Amino acid sequence: MEYRLHRYRSACGRLDLAARDYPAAEAGAPVLLMMHGLTRNSADFEPLARHLAGRYRLVVPDQRGRGLSQWDPDPAQYRPDVYAQDMLALLGGLGIARACLVGTSMGGLMAMVMNALRPGLASGFVFNDIGPVLDPAGLARIQGYVGPGGAMASWKEAAARCRAINAVAFPDFGGGDWLAFARRTCRENPEGTVSFDYDPAISRSMDGDALPTVPPDLWPLWDLLGAAPVLVVRGALSDLLGMETVREMARRHSGPYAHVEVPRVGHAPILDELPALAAISAFLKEYVS
């Protein structure tokens, strides 16, 4: 899959940021803005992009402190409202006035913030294993692995580290799956070692109370989605998004709403699983195409 690497300035004007821009086969095709989770980067959407590229224009950013985007010297700026402003700067620079917002975990929180900042921007929302209530068990698990860690000697070791962290979410993964996961999550250093592809300082946003930079009550942001079409993807083994929250999301939403559960997967689905792909394709065809 070919894409253009787009460089742009952060909303604050201090940082150089990067995004993948996958072109659509036809001019004027709908745009999907695909936003990754806390410790991931644009490569996280490669499996889904393989299925959607060409039919849609895919804009897939590295948030500040991840991938090819510059690390922020002020760790206090690693928070969803700041990322959301960066996303508005990205879309504005590309001349995109409307897009479907696809958010995995933290990316879904960003989508809700973006909607509050710019009502009418989103043609629809795809929330991947995230909602207005964050289960404390999942937050505690994430807090347990985010942050400083030593470099790994090889890609084989990186795959083993990824498995140790995420095996509870992907119990059916084999060796090849974990290597592919590591390739999307880590980077190779000039000396040949391998490191996770994010600034370890992002962990400071989770110090103390869980995710202190996220409002304690996210339901008002959810309610602001109004009648916009929504698809919620949940891993059946998720420890961050509970089914009670999913049901309440459906009850409170006034527009089209769909929910799909991915069996034998936790937080968060890769989005190349057959149930997720079928639901996303149907949702985009009906509401975004």
Side-chain angles (χ1 to χ4, degrees):
M1 300 174 296
E2 294 186 359
Y3 58 85
R4 178 179 68 92
L5 184 63
H6 174 67
R7 300 281 190 176
Y8 67 105
R9 296 294 287 177
S10 61
C12 63
R14 296 185 296 107
L15 304 177
D16 291 318
L17 306 181
R20 303 182 184 194
D21 190 352
Y22 296 83
E26 298 182 3
V31 177
L32 309 185
L33 177 66
M34 307 168 80
M35 297 174 287
H36 60 74
L38 181 68
T39 62
R40 307 295 179 82
N41 57 73
S42 58
D44 204 43
F45 284 105
E46 285 178 352
L48 180 58
R50 279 193 287 270
H51 295 273
L52 300 181
R55 286 184 284 163
Y56 305 92
R57 181 180 178 184
L58 310 179
V59 179
V60 193
D62 291 326
Q63 302 302 328
R64 60 174 67 194
R66 287 85 164 175
L68 297 178
S69 288
Q70 188 176 352
W71 293 10
D72 198 318
D74 179 5
Q77 299 305 302
Y78 287 139
R79 58 182 205 254
D81 59 324
V82 174
Y83 304 140
Q85 293 283 7
D86 289 340
M87 295 302 93
L88 295 178
L90 168 61
L91 294 178
L94 291 172
I96 296 172
R98 193 162 171 79
C100 177
L101 306 185
V102 181
T104 292
S105 195
M106 181 188 78
L109 301 180
M110 292 163 54
M112 285 189 275
V113 175
M114 289 175 67
N115 177 71
L117 294 172
R118 190 74 57 83
L121 168 69
S123 56
F125 298 87
V126 178
F127 293 99
N128 183 19
D129 214 63
I130 192 68
V133 177
L134 311 179
D135 192 302
L139 286 174
R141 182 176 61 83
I142 294 170
Q143 285 176 314
Y145 70 77
V146 177
M152 296 159 281
S154 65
W155 282 106
K156 181 178 180 180
E157 183 180 339
R161 181 85 63 86
C162 288
R163 179 175 185 171
I165 293 171
N166 297 284
V168 66
F170 303 102
D172 298 332
F173 267 21
D177 299 309
W178 288 118
L179 181 58
F181 190 100
R183 293 278 186 182
R184 295 192 301 270
T185 309
C186 303
R187 67 177 184 274
E188 187 167 346
N189 301 314
E191 65 275 16
T193 60
V194 179
S195 299
F196 286 109
D197 202 5
Y198 63 82
D199 179 359
I202 66 171
S203 65
R204 299 187 196 177
S205 68
M206 300 188 71
D207 289 344
D209 294 335
L211 288 181
T213 57
V214 176
D217 183 5
L218 294 174
W219 285 114
L221 289 182
W222 177 259
D223 294 338
L224 288 176
L225 301 185
V230 166
L231 170 65
V232 176
V233 180
R234 178 181 181 270
L237 305 179
S238 178
D239 58 0
L240 192 69
L241 177 62
M243 272 306 303
E244 181 179 345
T245 300
V246 172
R247 287 189 286 268
E248 182 65 7
M249 291 160 72
R251 188 190 72 79
R252 294 174 72 131
H253 190 61
S254 61
Y257 179 96
H259 158 243
V260 63
E261 192 158 276
V262 181
R264 299 284 297 168
V265 170
H267 183 79
I270 303 298
L271 299 182
D272 65 345
E273 304 90 351
L274 290 179
L277 278 177
I280 291 170
S281 296
F283 176 81
L284 296 176
K285 183 177 181 180
E286 182 169 1
Y287 296 112
V288 178
S289 299

